[in-house]
Amino acid sequence: MATTPYLLQRGSTWSWRRRVPEFSTKTRHWQLSLRTTDRSIACIIARRLNYECDRMLDAITDGKLTPAQAKAWLTSVVRSELDRIERQRMISRMDPVGSCEEDQRLDWATARAWSHLASKGLHAELSDHDRRTVLNEGSNEADIASLETMLGVLSRDVLSEAGVNKMLRAARDSIQTATGETLNPATETILSLRQLLLAGKAAAWSASEGQEDPSLEQARALAREILDSAPAEISDTREPLHISEEATLIGAPAPIRISAQRPEFSFDPDIVALVERINAERDRDHIKEDTRKQLASQARLFIKATGITDVREITQGHLKFYKSVLQRLPTSYGKSPKDAERTIDELLARAEDLPEKKVGLSPRTINGHLDRFKLIFQFAKSESITISDSIELGLLRVREEKRNRDKREAFTLPELQQVFRHPIWTGCRSTSRRHERGNIVKADGLYWGPILAGYSGARREEVLGLEPRDVVSVDGIPCYHIRDNMHRGVKTFSSERLVPIHEHLMELGFLRHVEEMRQRGASALFPELIATNESQSFGDKIYYNWAKALVLQLDGNPRELCFHSFRHYAIAHLKELPEVSEKQRRDLVGHSGGDVHDEQYDVATSMTVMSGVVAKLPRLF
């Protein structure tokens, strides 16, 4: 890296210092220092390191394409796009779905969008000037709407992780074939490739505009050939025309063969692109948002761990190694949004200093990863993408050491009463010092969430992710509706339910809090818990303070109780009450029925009865 050493003298000791820039020769951050009593030696070492650092910087920033590489990539882009346009137009003509006008509008919008992106960059918005220009050319508002939609689609595709991977693979293959050189995927290289990609696609669409169907010209040529050769095939009684040996014979052009094959359709085998197609498939609308996020994050983690981006290249060995990575990650992996930015080495290094029980994802989580790979492979096969026959996911499953009922401990009533004596519910020193006693009670998600769970057995995200509109009145009984909303989904179909609000919650002012959020126009009952990135959940925002409260109130929390322990507490308590039926208990906590009859023919328990069930849960404080 290009640096400038300088010497400092303190007494009889000389020290040299150099700062290496972070991709800049002006902004300098990294500092090396060496002390010696000999100034000449310091200068020699400084010059040597300067040379080595210059080489390092050149290696990192030299991402420019050579003219030969640029030509090879641009040629590949133009040719492949022209082929794609030809196939697309043939399909729309020979197997039409919409009207001819719709096809023409789509072609116009696509051509105009690529031209706009190539000239003005990957900005999906049209300026007022752009809109006026398009209207002055004779287009209408419907055309502009199509153009804006196409700009959004194309720009997102180019900028997406799947789009970048697809571009790099195509560029690498075209450059390797044309020049024999290996592409260096540096940051500047990607930007240059993207610039040429936009230019090539724009040029291909511009050149194809108004172009006739190539098969028509082939057919005309064949027709001319048939007509030209027709006289020779007619029987004639006259003597044949004598041609001297010296005459030059002109050979007829070879007939043009028209392929009778149907166009072949192929799908991108990139793992991230494949997962995006799974999540976008309409047949999978039932898949919850959390599951979609898990699929996407799992794909990225697998690529990060193995370096494999093509689903066809995955082997049993890759999956075995991936499983070993999951077993060595910190148990807290995914809780911090920074985890997505860390390398595998950085993630595993964080686990080295942790106690054994804090290392390794749970068997259930690891098996969940394997189950999602099963879905990925099945979907790939449905698209005729070849998957290795040697893969056996069943051989990788981890045996779960605990029975289902032992995985989470249940609170006892005395433990809950002790927990709710914490300053969070009795009065803390300030909103930033929730664990110190004082006279401030902050009624936020950390305050209300555990109480709601204690009086319903609901899951953490079910209560923390409620919206103001989810609190309703049914048959005159205040309740909250656990259902999909704009912030989170529910776990299963049976999870959607109405839960009567416990009398103690109303005494504490829960309904006043709901009304306040409505007047504020808040989109969530606890807006401070809304996730700020895709890896976060509502519960992540209270995790630290909630876990610390348990440790402080329960002498270190030796039974490792958690938020889910509320659910086990409520179920266990209601099971002990003979007047509460199994169906009523299922309806309260959102469990599915025991058989098909329960699922299809049972009706929901009335709110009057459910209110009585909730009232049987003891007061927490």
Side-chain angles (χ1 to χ4, degrees):
M1 295 183 181
T3 58
T4 305
Y6 61 93
L7 294 172
L8 295 176
Q9 184 178 21
R10 294 181 179 175
S12 60
T13 301
W14 286 89
S15 69
W16 66 267
R17 298 182 183 273
R18 65 187 298 111
R19 294 188 181 92
V20 181
E22 184 180 44
F23 300 105
S24 169
T25 56
K26 296 180 180 180
T27 307
R28 305 176 182 278
H29 300 289
W30 181 51
Q31 179 171 299
L32 300 174
S33 63
L34 173 70
R35 293 183 178 277
T36 177
T37 55
D38 190 332
R39 178 176 182 177
S40 62
I41 294 177
C43 290
I44 292 171
I45 296 174
R47 285 196 297 271
R48 179 61 186 171
L49 264 180
N50 190 59
Y51 170 74
E52 293 295 334
C53 292
D54 286 343
R55 290 179 59 193
M56 291 169 62
L57 183 62
D58 291 340
I60 292 175
T61 60
D62 186 16
K64 294 183 178 179
L65 296 172
T66 66
Q69 290 173 335
K71 182 179 179 181
W73 171 229
L74 184 58
T75 301
S76 172
V77 171
V78 173
R79 283 179 174 169
S80 62
E81 191 66 11
L82 286 172
D83 289 343
R84 195 177 73 83
I85 294 170
E86 182 180 337
R87 289 196 306 272
Q88 180 177 305
R89 287 179 176 172
M90 182 189 70
I91 293 169
S92 65
R93 286 194 300 269
M94 299 300 105
D95 190 15
V97 176
S99 66
C100 180
E101 290 76 11
E102 290 173 345
D103 289 340
Q104 290 174 352
R105 176 178 291 171
L106 181 62
D107 279 358
W108 173 85
T110 305
R112 190 66 183 245
W114 281 122
S115 176
H116 179 90
L117 296 175
S119 61
K120 300 191 177 182
L122 287 166
H123 302 289
E125 304 84 11
L126 288 176
S127 66
D128 291 340
H129 174 73
D130 294 331
R131 293 175 65 88
R132 288 194 298 270
T133 300
V134 173
L135 290 173
N136 290 336
E137 292 174 355
S139 300
N140 54 36
E141 289 295 338
D143 296 330
I144 291 179
S146 298
L147 175 56
E148 289 179 329
T149 300
M150 187 60 66
L151 282 170
V153 170
L154 297 181
S155 61
R156 284 195 300 272
D157 181 61
V158 171
L159 291 170
S160 70
E161 187 175 355
V164 172
N165 290 335
K166 182 178 180 180
M167 179 184 72
L168 285 175
R169 285 198 307 274
R172 179 187 60 205
D173 293 343
S174 62
I175 290 173
Q176 179 74 34
T177 301
T179 68
E181 299 169 351
T182 301
L183 182 67
N184 172 31
T187 302
E188 190 172 347
T189 307
I190 294 174
L191 296 179
S192 298
L193 291 173
R194 185 178 288 162
Q195 184 180 24
L196 292 171
L197 176 76
L198 299 178
K201 286 182 177 289
W205 278 93
S206 176
S208 68
E209 189 171 1
Q211 185 182 21
E212 211 171 40
D213 182 358
S215 62
L216 288 175
E217 183 56 38
Q218 292 173 349
R220 290 193 186 102
L222 183 59
R224 285 194 296 269
E225 178 191 343
I226 293 173
L227 288 173
D228 291 342
S229 61
E233 297 176 1
I234 299 174
S235 175
D236 197 340
T237 58
R238 293 175 298 177
E239 294 184 3
L241 180 66
H242 176 73
I243 302 176
S244 68
E245 296 179 357
E246 296 179 358
T248 302
L249 295 177
I250 302 176
I256 299 175
R257 295 183 179 180
I258 303 176
S259 173
Q261 293 182 347
R262 294 178 64 87
E264 294 184 1
F265 297 94
S266 60
F267 294 89
D268 188 355
D270 179 81
I271 299 171
V272 173
L274 196 150
V275 167
E276 288 178 351
R277 293 198 298 276
I278 292 175
N279 287 338
E281 193 176 49
R282 290 187 177 181
D283 291 348
R284 301 179 189 276
D285 286 345
H286 64 280
I287 296 180
K288 300 303 178 184
E289 188 62 29
D290 287 347
T291 305
R292 297 175 191 274
K293 290 179 181 178
Q294 289 168 354
L295 271 170
S297 63
Q298 174 173 322
R300 291 192 292 268
L301 180 61
F302 179 81
I303 292 171
K304 187 185 295 186
T306 64
I308 301 297
T309 60
D310 191 324
V311 72
R312 299 170 300 182
E313 298 175 4
I314 298 178
T315 66
Q316 185 79 359
H318 294 132
L319 293 167
K320 176 75 172 179
F321 175 74
Y322 179 64
K323 171 188 168 184
S324 74
V325 169
L326 300 180
Q327 292 173 320
R328 290 179 287 150
L329 287 174
T331 56
S332 62
Y333 170 75
K335 299 292 184 183
S336 169
K338 294 181 180 179
D339 284 346
E341 304 169 4
R342 295 185 173 109
T343 66
I344 286 296
D345 290 339
E346 290 171 340
L347 291 169
L348 296 179
R350 292 181 64 234
E352 291 177 356
D353 298 328
L354 296 174
E356 185 177 352
K357 68 177 183 178
K358 295 292 185 182
V359 177
L361 304 187
S362 70
R364 182 183 181 186
T365 301
I366 293 175
N367 290 336
H369 279 251
L370 298 176
D371 290 339
R372 286 188 286 274
F373 264 116
K374 182 179 180 180
L375 170 61
I376 290 171
F377 293 150
Q378 287 176 339
F379 189 85
K381 289 178 180 178
S382 76
E383 297 181 333
S384 297
I385 298 175
T386 303
I387 301 298
S388 172
D389 293 333
S390 65
I391 292 176
E392 291 286 349
L393 292 171
L395 299 177
L396 301 175
R397 294 188 70 83
V398 183
R399 182 178 177 182
E400 300 191 38
E401 298 175 354
K402 293 184 177 182
R403 296 175 298 173
N404 285 336
R405 71 185 187 193
D406 295 331
K407 289 176 183 177
R408 291 284 190 272
E409 297 281 355
F411 283 115
T412 64
L413 182 58
E415 284 173 331
L416 282 177
Q417 291 170 338
Q418 180 62 30
V419 167
F420 285 106
R421 294 190 186 103
H422 185 277
I424 291 172
W425 296 276
T426 60
C428 59
R429 185 166 182 178
S430 68
T431 56
S432 60
R433 303 169 81 170
R434 304 290 286 273
H435 303 286
E436 300 178 24
R437 299 212 173 272
N439 56 5
I440 295 175
V441 175
K442 182 174 177 57
D444 57 1
L446 178 60
Y447 173 87
W448 287 116
I451 306 176
L452 286 164
Y455 287 134
S456 65
R459 300 175 180 91
R460 186 181 69 175
E461 295 303 299
E462 288 177 342
V463 291
L464 296 182
L466 288 170
E467 296 181 358
R469 67 184 183 91
D470 292 331
V471 179
V472 296
S473 178
V474 178
D475 298 331
I477 298 172
C479 54
Y480 51 88
H481 194 174
I482 295 176
R483 57 186 173 181
D484 289 349
N485 61 36
M486 66 180 293
H487 295 297
R488 60 100 177 94
V490 293
K491 188 173 183 180
T492 62
F493 290 121
S494 59
S495 297
E496 182 171 334
R497 61 200 187 277
L498 288 163
V499 178
I501 297 173
H502 195 282
E503 183 181 13
H504 190 198
L505 275 163
M506 290 189 277
E507 291 175 6
L508 293 170
F510 178 67
L511 294 181
R512 289 196 299 273
H513 174 81
V514 173
E515 185 58 32
E516 181 183 345
M517 292 301 105
R518 284 175 177 156
Q519 291 180 2
R520 285 173 48 182
S523 64
L525 276 186
F526 313 115
E528 75 280 1
L529 303 185
I530 295 176
T532 54
N533 61 68
E534 289 188 356
S535 65
Q536 277 186 339
S537 65
F538 282 85
D540 290 339
K541 294 292 189 72
I542 72 165
Y543 178 80
Y544 172 79
N545 283 318
W546 166 246
K548 186 172 181 179
L550 292 181
V551 169
L552 293 174
Q553 296 301 107
L554 301 178
D555 297 327
N557 192 17
R559 294 204 298 132
E560 297 184 348
L561 299 167
C562 60
F563 203 99
H564 204 72
S565 299
F566 280 117
R567 188 167 178 79
H568 289 268
Y569 153 78
I571 294 171
H573 180 82
L574 295 176
K575 276 185 177 181
E576 298 298 322
L577 303 177
E579 63 271 28
V580 177
S581 69
E582 180 185 353
K583 181 184 182 306
Q584 292 167 0
R585 189 174 66 248
R586 286 201 317 263
D587 286 352
L588 177 64
V589 300
H591 278 163
S592 58
D595 54 32
V596 175
H597 182 277
D598 290 341
E599 288 293 293
Q600 294 188 1
Y601 301 108
D602 273 1
V603 295
T605 306
S606 70
M607 282 300 101
T608 303
V609 174
M610 291 299 295
S611 180
V613 173
V614 169
K616 295 183 183 301
L617 291 169
R619 292 202 168 213
L620 300 173
F621 57 94

